[in-house]
Amino acid sequence: MSVAPVSRPASVLAIALALMAVYLVWGSTYLAIRFALEGGYPPLLMAGLRFIAAGGLMYAALRLRGVPAPTRAQWPNVLAMGVLLLGLGNGLVCIAEQSVSSGLAAVAVASAPIWIALFAAIRGDRPSRIEWAGLAVGFAGVLWLNAGSSLTATPTGLIALLIAPLAWAFGSVWSRGRDLPSPFMAAASQMLAGGVIILVAGLLVGERFTELPTLKGTLSVAYLTSFGSIIGFTAYVWLLHNVRPTLAGSYAYVNPAIAVLLGAWLANERFQVNDIGAMVVILVAVVAITLGRARARKPVPVPAAAGDRS
């Protein structure tokens, strides 16, 4: 009688390295975006080129390994996610960072889990008491950030950073249950499609390279492409398959702190008391919502014949 192989649990070292990648890499992307913009890259052209390069490399590598390409029915869903998560979610952050510090942009984006919980509730996923409390605290933090912080001095940055986390949250909730390819192929095709859309949008609004970008700016784009898009995302998907969702999602309240520290250290960014206060309130809310969803989630029995989907 043959015995089915038992998958070995991930080592503590592997989990720690993956978490460090997600925490540090994704937390540093906000500063890398700022350096790329300062180096002469227009925001939308930079984001589009970055995602086309990262998505194209991942797509080619996956196809060489035999991973099926998205079907004709899956491409519209992939395209919609590319518009919501990358085009609006990331593209608007790049636009905002022309006038807003990288740390403050990260704090605004940290509100995404709050909007995800709200959209999930509208869709019928009833929040627990802890989640309701987190939502209330989170909205207070968002109002504080948008009314009492230095964002008020930059209307364009304010509007962009209001829409970006809303689009990311809506796209994340909308994608649940949709017909999509395997996780890595979905990410690759989403970056590829989203990158083309962002690039075209940049050209349509008149973005052009007026001068040769600096070496620092080009290295920043290379970092965003390789570490931010490929390594960071790969580590995150691996975590989703090997640790509790609560731990994998902890990047949401670690990344802003990393971004603020890096911005202050490497770019001499300064923050008002209101900025830091709003960040603390938002992060407390995100932690409450994350813990509430973890407690509310019941274990789902896995059929004996089911295989590993990773």
Side-chain angles (χ1 to χ4, degrees), residues 100-167:
V100 174
S101 70
S102 62
L104 198 57
V107 173
V109 173
S111 66
I114 300 170
W115 302 115
I116 288 175
L118 178 62
F119 286 131
I122 294 173
R123 195 176 181 181
D125 186 1
R126 296 182 58 184
S128 64
R129 291 182 179 179
I130 296 178
E131 289 178 271
W132 277 122
L135 281 169
V137 173
F139 286 131
V142 171
L143 289 174
W144 187 359
L145 179 67
N146 291 293
S149 75
S150 53
L151 269 181
T152 55
T154 56
T156 301
L158 172 62
I159 294 172
L161 291 180
L162 274 173
I163 298 175
L166 278 169

Side-chain angles (χ1 to χ4, degrees), residues 50-290:
R50 162 197 174 186
F51 288 123
I52 289 174
L57 289 172
M58 283 186 64
Y59 189 93
L62 291 169
R63 293 294 290 136
L64 287 174
R65 293 184 59 186
V67 178
T71 64
R72 182 175 298 180
Q74 290 172 339
W75 270 114
N77 294 332
V78 168
L79 189 63
M81 290 180 65
V83 171
L84 291 168
L85 272 66
L86 300 182
L88 295 175
N90 185 273
L92 289 177
V93 170
C94 295
I95 290 175
E97 285 203 38
Q98 294 178 108
S99 57
V100 174
S101 70
S102 62
L104 198 57
V107 173
V109 173
S111 66
I114 300 170
W115 302 115
I116 288 175
L118 178 62
F119 286 131
I122 294 173
R123 195 176 181 181
D125 186 1
R126 296 182 58 184
S128 64
R129 291 182 179 179
I130 296 178
E131 289 178 271
W132 277 122
L135 281 169
V137 173
F139 286 131
V142 171
L143 289 174
W144 187 359
L145 179 67
N146 291 293
S149 75
S150 53
L151 269 181
T152 55
T154 56
T156 301
L158 172 62
I159 294 172
L161 291 180
L162 274 173
I163 298 175
L166 278 169
W168 183 278
F170 181 79
S172 298
V173 174
W174 177 86
S175 67
R176 295 175 185 173
R178 302 286 175 177
D179 183 16
L180 293 169
S182 60
F184 286 110
M185 178 55 75
S189 54
Q190 176 184 314
M191 284 192 289
L192 196 55
V196 171
I197 292 171
I198 297 172
L199 188 65
V200 171
L203 293 173
L204 289 177
V205 299
E207 288 190 356
R208 298 292 187 273
F209 286 93
T210 57
E211 58 184 1
L212 188 66
T214 65
L215 177 60
K216 182 178 180 180
T218 301
L219 290 176
S220 297
V221 174
Y223 176 82
L224 288 167
T225 301
S226 56
F227 285 84
S229 297
I230 298 177
I231 294 177
F233 181 79
T234 302
Y236 179 62
V237 171
W238 184 87
L239 284 169
L240 288 177
H241 285 80
N242 289 277
V243 302
R244 298 188 310 276
T246 308
L247 182 58
S250 60
Y251 76 90
Y253 44 87
V254 176
N255 286 169
I258 296 292
V260 167
L261 291 173
L262 288 176
W265 176 33
L266 298 176
N268 295 317
E269 294 180 352
R270 296 293 179 261
F271 303 93
Q272 300 178 3
V273 174
N274 283 330
D275 299 334
I276 302 299
M279 179 182 72
V280 172
V281 171
I282 289 173
L283 297 189
V284 167
V286 172
V287 171
I289 291 171
T290 304

Side-chain angles (χ1 to χ4, degrees), residues 27-43:
S28 65
T29 54
Y30 296 93
L31 186 59
I33 289 173
R34 172 177 171 172
F35 288 159
L37 296 176
E38 292 176 346
Y41 281 88

